[in-house]
């Protein structure tokens, strides 16, 4: 960690958690106690009101009267920031997020506890101890999905480094046809859509802007080639574009068995689910009958029937027969997969 980063981190810790000994700070920042004393001297010369206490319980702390201007944020608003940053930290291995979390928490503690110090929000205190309504967050965000393949978080961190250092990235990318092609890109921004990571980049092979799904990137490597960012469309969110699927929308009627109700609730809103007397239910939606649709229907197994349109029901039947034939074949040779 650079000295200026360490000085800022020490300042935030003193604002946030009260008294710290030189040995505690030295261990946290992996430097010597002598370096910490020099850092404290530099902070004092910069005008920060740091007090040094002697003895076994001594250490450094910020004067009680020292606060940060925060009139434009309420405690609830800063609590929301803490929640959001914690969620991002669950998906990224990034020390900058740790630092950001400390900064926002420092402001939150000042508002909630006046000029008092201590890590009350994190560890609890006499009034707001662990498990109390005051210390329990009303919203918890965790962007690290269950079942995520190993190594994805490391890839996201590598891409973030490439963006910050303006370095190209090489990879093999699995496109919509299932072909893995070698690509080199100039990444400009990471996008978290739900719990799926994407990267917006300029693809050197296609000579155009692209959005790549990170989970489909293989053999990702950071090169030593630097680039100057090109004009790219600003993406503050990523909406579905009709051009991604040329299949037109149409009315679809699905009849589900009772065992499918829990999973169906993850896909369809309650107002689209008509509960029947026997516990089964019917769903009427306007939907694109495309590959995603067939994959979704087949994932329900024998707990769903397509009532309309008839051609979609026949297509599911054809796919189910192919599946049955494949598992009925004792050889199950990979060469028999349809192209």
């Amino acid at each position: 960690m650079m000295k200026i980063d360490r000085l800022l981190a020490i300042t935030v810790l003193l604002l946030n958690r009260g008294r710290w000994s030189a040995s505690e700070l030295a261990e946290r920042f992996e430097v010597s106690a002598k370096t910490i004393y020099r850092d404290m001297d530099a902070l004092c010369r910069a005008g920060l009101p740091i007090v040094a206490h002697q003895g076994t319980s001594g250490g450094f702390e910020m004067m009680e009267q020292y606060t940060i201007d925060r009139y434009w944020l309420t405690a609830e608003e800063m609590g929301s920031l803490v929640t959001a940053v914690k969620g991002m930290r669950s998906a990224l291995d990034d020390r900058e997020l740790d630092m950001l979390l400390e900064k926002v928490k420092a402001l939150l503690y000042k508002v909630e506890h006046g000029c008092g110090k201590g890590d009350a929000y994190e560890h609890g205190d006499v009034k707001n101890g662990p498990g109390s309504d005051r210390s329990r967050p009303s919203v918890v965000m965790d962007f690290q999905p269950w079942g995520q393949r190993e190594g994805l978080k490391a890839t996201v961190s590598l891409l973030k480094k490439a963006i910050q250092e303006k370095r190209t990235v090489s990879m093999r990318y699995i496109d919509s046809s299932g072909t893995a092609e070698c690509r080199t890109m100039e990444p400009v921004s990471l996008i978290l859509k739900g719990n799926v990571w994407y990267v917006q980049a300029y693809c050197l092979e296609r000579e155009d802007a692209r959005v790549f799904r990170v989970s489909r990137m293989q053999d990702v490597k950071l090169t030593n080639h630097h680039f100057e960012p090109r004009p790219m469309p600003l993406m503050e969110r990523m909406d579905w574009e009709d051009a991604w699927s040329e299949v037109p929308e149409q009315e679809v009627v699905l009849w589900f068995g009772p065992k499918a109700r829990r999973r169906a609730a993850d896909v369809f809103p309650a107002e689209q689910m008509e509960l029947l007397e026997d516990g089964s239910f019917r769903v009427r939606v306007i939907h694109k009958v495309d590959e995603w649709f067939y994959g979704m229907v087949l994932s329900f197994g024998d707990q769903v029937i397509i009532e309309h349109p008839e051609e979609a029901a026949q297509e599911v039947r054809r796919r189910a027969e192919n599946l049955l034939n494949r598992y009925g074949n004792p050889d199950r040779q990979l060469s028999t997969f349809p192209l």
Side-chain angles (χ1 to χ4, degrees), residues 252-268:
V252 175
V253 182
L254 304 173
W255 180 24
F256 289 91
K259 294 181 180 179
R261 189 174 182 183
R262 185 179 66 176
R263 276 204 56 220
D266 295 334
V267 182
F268 304 102

Side-chain angles (χ1 to χ4, degrees), residues 149-163:
R149 69 171 173 82
E150 186 177 353
L152 193 58
K153 185 183 289 190
T155 301
V156 171
S157 297
L158 182 147
L159 291 171
K160 185 173 185 292
K161 181 178 181 180
I163 293 169

Side-chain angles (χ1 to χ4, degrees), residues 199-216:
V199 59
Q200 183 189 20
Y202 184 86
C203 178
L204 297 180
E205 283 74 20
R206 297 295 185 267
E207 297 183 346
D208 198 4
R210 289 289 189 271
V211 175
F212 298 102
R213 182 164 172 154
V214 176
S215 61
R216 295 175 186 164

Side-chain angles (χ1 to χ4, degrees), residues 166-178:
K166 297 180 176 59
R167 293 163 62 182
T168 60
V169 171
S170 65
M171 62 170 174
R172 289 190 303 117
Y173 189 70
I174 304 174
D175 61 19
S176 58
S177 66

Side-chain angles (χ1 to χ4, degrees), residues 25-265:
L25 291 171
E27 181 179 358
R28 183 180 182 92
F29 296 105
E30 300 178 350
V31 295
S32 66
K34 182 181 289 187
T35 297
I36 294 297
Y37 283 111
R38 285 199 296 264
D39 289 344
M40 290 300 172
D41 184 55
L43 291 173
C44 288
R45 289 199 308 271
L48 294 181
I50 297 174
V51 180
H53 298 272
Q54 304 296 323
T56 55
S57 60
F60 300 98
E61 68 177 350
M62 203 75 70
M63 289 180 61
E64 292 288 339
Q65 292 78 12
Y66 188 73
T67 60
I68 293 178
D69 187 8
R70 60 188 183 280
Y71 65 91
W72 48 279
L73 282 179
T74 66
E76 290 75 18
E77 290 169 334
M78 285 186 284
S80 297
L81 288 176
V82 170
T83 300
V85 176
K86 282 184 175 180
M88 285 300 299
R89 193 175 59 170
S90 69
L92 278 173
D93 289 322
D94 194 334
R95 294 193 66 179
E96 289 182 8
L97 289 176
D98 293 336
M99 194 67 251
L100 176 59
L101 182 59
E102 292 289 349
K103 291 178 184 178
V104 179
K105 283 164 57 180
L107 295 175
L108 179 59
Y109 301 149
K110 290 293 183 179
V111 172
E112 288 195 333
H113 305 288
C115 291
K117 297 185 177 68
D119 200 10
Y121 186 86
E122 187 75 17
H123 301 293
D125 58 15
V126 175
K127 294 182 180 179
N128 303 320
S132 70
D133 291 337
R134 184 66 169 169
S135 67
R136 184 183 298 111
S138 57
V139 177
V140 176
M141 296 183 184
D142 187 346
F143 299 132
Q144 181 74 1
W146 286 315
Q148 177 173 279
R149 69 171 173 82
E150 186 177 353
L152 193 58
K153 185 183 289 190
T155 301
V156 171
S157 297
L158 182 147
L159 291 171
K160 185 173 185 292
K161 181 178 181 180
I163 293 169
Q164 292 172 332
E165 298 180 1
K166 297 180 176 59
R167 293 163 62 182
T168 60
V169 171
S170 65
M171 62 170 174
R172 289 190 303 117
Y173 189 70
I174 304 174
D175 61 19
S176 58
S177 66
T179 303
E181 295 185 348
C182 293
R183 302 284 189 95
T184 304
M185 65 175 176
E186 300 172 353
V188 295
S189 60
L190 282 164
I191 304 163
L192 183 61
K193 178 70 171 179
N195 59 8
V196 179
W197 282 105
Y198 298 84
V199 59
Q200 183 189 20
Y202 184 86
C203 178
L204 297 180
E205 283 74 20
R206 297 295 185 267
E207 297 183 346
D208 198 4
R210 289 289 189 271
V211 175
F212 298 102
R213 182 164 172 154
V214 176
S215 61
R216 295 175 186 164
M217 299 168 60
Q218 299 179 343
D219 299 330
V220 184
K221 294 182 176 62
L222 186 63
T223 75
N224 291 322
H225 179 70
H226 292 261
F227 65 89
E228 286 297 322
R230 306 168 190 260
M232 298 279 283
L234 180 63
M235 298 187 68
E236 295 183 349
R237 54 183 293 171
M238 191 166 69
D239 295 321
W240 178 263
E241 296 183 12
D242 290 336
W244 293 346
S245 177
E246 298 178 355
V247 178
E249 291 184 331
Q250 58 181 304
E251 184 184 33
V252 175
V253 182
L254 304 173
W255 180 24
F256 289 91
K259 294 181 180 179
R261 189 174 182 183
R262 185 179 66 176
R263 276 204 56 220

Side-chain angles (χ1 to χ4, degrees), residues 271-335:
E271 57 269 21
Q272 293 179 346
M273 300 170 65
E274 176 192 357
L275 188 62
L276 305 178
E277 291 184 0
D278 61 354
S280 64
F281 57 97
R282 185 173 282 109
V283 172
R284 299 176 184 271
V285 294
I286 303 298
H287 208 288
K288 290 178 178 287
V289 182
D290 52 13
E291 285 299 319
W292 184 92
F293 172 82
Y294 289 121
M296 180 272 295
V297 170
L298 287 169
S299 72
F300 282 91
D302 62 355
Q303 285 295 302
V304 63
I305 294 175
I306 299 178
E307 293 188 337
H308 180 79
E310 178 60 28
E311 58 269 23
Q314 293 301 322
E315 175 61 17
V316 168
R317 178 176 178 175
R318 183 187 69 80
R319 296 184 182 213
E321 288 175 347
N322 288 341
L323 185 64
L324 181 61
N325 291 335
R326 180 166 305 283
Y327 281 93
N329 177 6
D331 294 331
R332 293 202 293 271
Q333 297 296 322
L334 293 180
S335 60

